[in-house]
Amino acid sequence: MSVLANKKIAVLGDRDGIPGPAIEACLATVEGAEVVFSTTECFV
């Protein structure tokens, strides 16, 4: 069982790092994890 199983997740990606959709795609493999918000921001 994963630590993220049966959790609601907010994803904050970085434009110059790992974008939100890439993190969201990885979380799609976790059974029971639900992404409720996903975005890619520019932190300067």
Side-chain angles (χ1 to χ4, degrees):
M1 177 177 247
S2 172
V3 174
L4 298 175
N6 301 318
K7 302 286 184 186
K8 295 185 186 301
I9 303 167
V11 175
L12 299 175
D14 184 20
R15 180 186 63 122
D16 294 329
I18 303 172
I23 300 170
E24 190 175 354
C26 292
L27 291 172
T29 65
V30 178
E31 185 177 334
E34 178 185 359
V35 176
V36 293
F37 179 75
S38 178
T39 187
T40 300
E41 299 293 332
C42 178
F43 299 101
V44 289

